[in-house]
Amino acid sequence: MSDALARYQQDIRRFSDELIRIQAPIKILDTIKWPREIEDKFLAKQTKVLPEISTDFYDSIPVSFNTDKTQQDLKGLRFAIEKGLGKKDKLGKILIANVDQYRIVIDMLNNRGKPMFGKLSQELYGSASHKLHGDRHTLRQLGDRLSHIFSLPAARHMSKQHPKIITAPEAVNQLSQRLVNYFHDDKIYVKLSDGIVSDAAVGGDTVKINTRAMFSESDMNVYEVHEGWVHVGTTLNGRAQPHATWLSVGSPRVTASQEGLAVLMEMLTLSSNPGRARRISDRVSAVDMAEQGADFIEVYRYFRNLHLSSKDSYRVTQRVFRGGMVQGGSFFTKDISYVRGYVENINFIRSAISTGLPELIPMLFLGKLAIEDIPDLYQAYQEGVIAGPKYLPPMFADISGLYAWFGFASGIGNIDLKGVQRHFARSFDKVTIKTSEADLFDDSEFDNNSD
């Protein structure tokens, strides 16, 4: 190894560790979450009164760091990276992009409960009115289409095959056993928590399970790959980096690639179900309505009219208004990341295959990264600056199966799907499915939630 390369790696490690130190106390979701009693009060009042959330509520939740000092630390780090690595250094640009994101995050958190919160959220996470790269459809249009597919009577019927009979302590034990086998060289933690609103959440190397929730076998399968293989996996892969340790933490710019990859893993392992898929799709509609000026009750009633349960209608709505204004005009747009990221991950894999660069695909698990970072990160990997991912799901460790799957998908992508559907619809007319009224309107299968 040359002296120049060794010095460069030391600089990357020094700047990475400093970024990790500075961003450590910035906890976005903890700073905007609502207590469970807000849900209880809202549902008890039969949705006639907006949730009791105002700027005073957010002022009562202290930010867990000195915002002015942290801004100055980030500003200083940005200057040091540019001076130490140069303005054109590719890894330096990625580090600076993350630094800049955290500076916007601080501004957003300083505006909780105000109109500026929503504008800064859009700057960080995007908008439901945005179009996918290379496509003419908006995220809202895609979300509506998916929500329709996953709310058909057949989808509801299939969701009933997954009864929630697993208690929270049992879920902790089951998930612990699965993840210990997967993360064979690292210590991971699965524990009960009273401090989360969702049924499951991840923080670093820890999966938290809501003590008051019940779970199905399908939920366990989802949490294993979504929370475990992806969210914990990319954290541990980033920590295993000898120099690019910043890959163990994620600013909002990596959210879409992370959440999309987690949803993609649910699909590739056949772990998901129509009820969960609908919840993810509905989030795009909720964000779009809030962006168009709807208040909390309007969004809530929209989902109740689509026959979602009162609890799940509240929760999909609450996710979008946390940090914003329940009377409308400010919102949290993170929830578009699941659908957007899912499509972008698929498009990335298909493009890597069709352009003859399938070696890029495993880099999705390198750490907390944005998809657009991968070409530069792969180049750095080839040059010996960074290490490859430590933990890879089986289908990403040996990508021959993925190559075949997505190769076929790309090859048939130009088929006229509408014409094919018309062809089969004529034969499907002969089929009658018996569906009870209970199947159409019992939405208890949707009462599960993860962040």
Side-chain angles (χ1 to χ4, degrees):
M1 179 188 299
S2 68
D3 291 342
L5 177 59
R7 286 195 300 271
Y8 180 69
Q9 289 177 325
Q10 290 171 4
D11 286 341
I12 292 294
R13 178 63 189 249
R14 175 163 54 89
F15 295 136
S16 295
D17 288 351
E18 180 65 0
L19 176 59
I20 292 173
R21 181 193 71 78
I22 295 172
Q23 65 80 48
I26 303 176
K27 308 293 184 184
I28 299 175
L29 298 185
D30 285 348
T31 313
I32 62 174
K33 68 181 180 182
W34 299 0
R36 179 77 72 169
E37 52 264 30
I38 298 294
E39 174 182 344
D40 297 336
K41 289 180 180 178
F42 177 80
L43 297 179
K45 293 180 180 179
Q46 298 296 312
T47 73
K48 295 178 181 179
V49 180
L50 288 169
E52 298 174 2
I53 302 291
S54 64
T55 53
D56 290 340
F57 167 80
Y58 292 114
D59 289 342
S60 70
I61 305 175
V63 178
S64 58
F65 58 96
N66 185 313
T67 57
D68 291 338
K69 183 180 184 304
T70 303
Q71 280 283 22
Q72 288 302 313
D73 288 346
L74 289 169
K75 186 177 180 180
L77 177 59
R78 193 185 200 284
F79 177 79
I81 293 170
E82 283 191 343
K83 183 178 179 181
L85 301 179
K87 293 183 179 181
K88 296 183 178 180
D89 183 80
K90 293 180 179 179
L91 296 187
K93 287 182 178 180
I94 296 174
L95 277 165
I96 287 173
N98 283 286
V99 169
D100 289 345
Q101 286 266 295
Y102 285 119
R103 296 183 69 187
I104 299 172
V105 166
I106 293 172
D107 289 339
M108 182 181 74
L109 296 180
N110 280 337
N111 283 278
R112 291 173 297 167
K114 302 174 184 177
M116 185 55 69
F117 179 92
K119 294 177 181 178
L120 293 171
S121 176
Q122 288 174 320
E123 188 173 344
L124 290 168
Y125 298 103
S127 165
S129 64
H130 288 173
K131 296 179 181 179
L132 296 164
H133 296 304
D135 191 72
R136 60 185 176 86
H137 297 97
T138 66
L139 286 168
R140 172 64 193 262
Q141 289 172 316
L142 177 59
D144 284 348
R145 175 60 179 159
L146 292 172
S147 293
H148 168 72
I149 292 171
F150 295 127
S151 61
L152 294 172
R156 294 172 179 272
H157 176 73
M158 284 184 281
S159 292
K160 295 180 185 300
Q161 299 173 11
H162 306 285
K164 295 182 182 298
I165 58 175
I166 300 172
T167 65
E170 290 170 342
V172 168
N173 291 334
Q174 286 191 28
L175 199 56
S176 296
Q177 292 174 6
R178 297 188 190 196
L179 295 182
V180 164
N181 292 333
Y182 183 82
F183 297 111
H184 43 80
D185 289 334
D186 284 274
K187 192 85 171 177
I188 60 98
Y189 305 91
V190 183
K191 65 180 185 180
L192 294 172
S193 175
D194 287 320
I196 59 174
V197 178
S198 57
D199 289 347
V202 170
D205 54 11
T206 301
V207 180
K208 301 175 184 178
I209 299 295
N210 194 317
T211 55
R212 295 191 286 183
M214 295 289 290
F215 305 91
S216 67
E217 186 64 27
S218 176
D219 295 330
M220 293 295 96
N221 295 336
V222 166
Y223 297 156
E224 178 182 6
V225 300
H226 185 117
E227 318 292 353
W229 292 10
V230 176
H231 292 324
V232 175
T234 51
T235 295
L236 296 180
N237 284 345
R239 289 180 182 175
Q241 286 292 326
H243 308 291
T245 54
W246 93 82
L247 289 167
S248 64
V249 298
S251 66
R253 68 186 294 271
V254 312
T255 302
S257 59
Q258 272 283 297
E259 297 297 356
L261 185 61
V263 175
L264 176 59
M265 283 307 307
E266 296 179 30
M267 304 305 164
L268 290 176
T269 57
L270 306 183
S271 300
S272 193
N273 59 71
R276 175 167 173 78
R278 179 182 175 181
R279 286 192 299 276
I280 291 171
S281 305
D282 283 343
R283 293 171 184 176
V284 181
S285 302
V287 169
D288 185 69
M289 290 185 68
E291 289 181 312
Q292 299 306 315
D295 66 18
F296 187 97
I297 291 178
E298 288 174 308
V299 177
Y300 171 84
R301 287 177 176 167
Y302 170 80
F303 289 108
R304 286 296 289 137
N305 290 335
L306 292 178
H307 306 301
L308 263 70
S309 68
S310 58
K311 182 182 294 185
D312 209 56
S313 295
Y314 171 88
R315 291 185 178 180
V316 71
T317 306
Q318 176 265 333
R319 292 173 65 94
V320 175
F321 282 91
R322 51 185 171 172
M325 300 162 58
V326 293
Q327 66 269 34
S330 189
F331 32 75
F332 189 49
T333 61
K334 173 182 177 286
D335 274 359
I336 66 170
S337 302
Y338 297 82
V339 170
R340 172 188 154 201
Y342 173 69
V343 176
E344 288 180 349
N345 272 274
I346 288 179
N347 288 342
F348 173 83
I349 293 173
R350 292 175 63 181
S351 298
I353 288 172
S354 62
T355 55
L357 291 170
E359 295 84 2
L360 295 176
I361 297 173
M363 302 299 284
L364 287 166
F365 284 87
L366 187 66
K368 310 294 186 186
L369 50 81
I371 285 178
E372 57 264 29
D373 298 340
I374 291 179
D376 290 334
L377 291 170
Y378 185 70
Q379 189 66 35
Y381 164 69
Q382 288 188 307
E383 294 169 354
V385 177
I386 63 176
K390 179 179 180 180
Y391 294 108
L392 283 171
M395 68 286 289
F396 284 85
D398 178 2
I399 60 174
S400 58
L402 277 179
Y403 191 105
W405 177 274
F406 284 99
F408 268 116
S410 298
I412 65 175
N414 292 328
I415 291 178
D416 180 5
L417 184 58
K418 290 184 178 179
V420 172
Q421 289 175 331
R422 286 194 296 270
H423 167 77
F424 282 106
R426 287 192 288 270
S427 61
F428 292 166
D429 283 343
K430 304 173 184 177
V431 179
T432 301
I433 301 294
K434 293 183 178 180
T435 305
S436 69
E437 185 174 341
D439 286 334
L440 289 172
F441 296 103
D442 179 3
D443 293 285
S444 59
E445 73 270 18
F446 296 116
D447 285 341
N448 186 39
N449 181 30
S450 66
D451 217 310

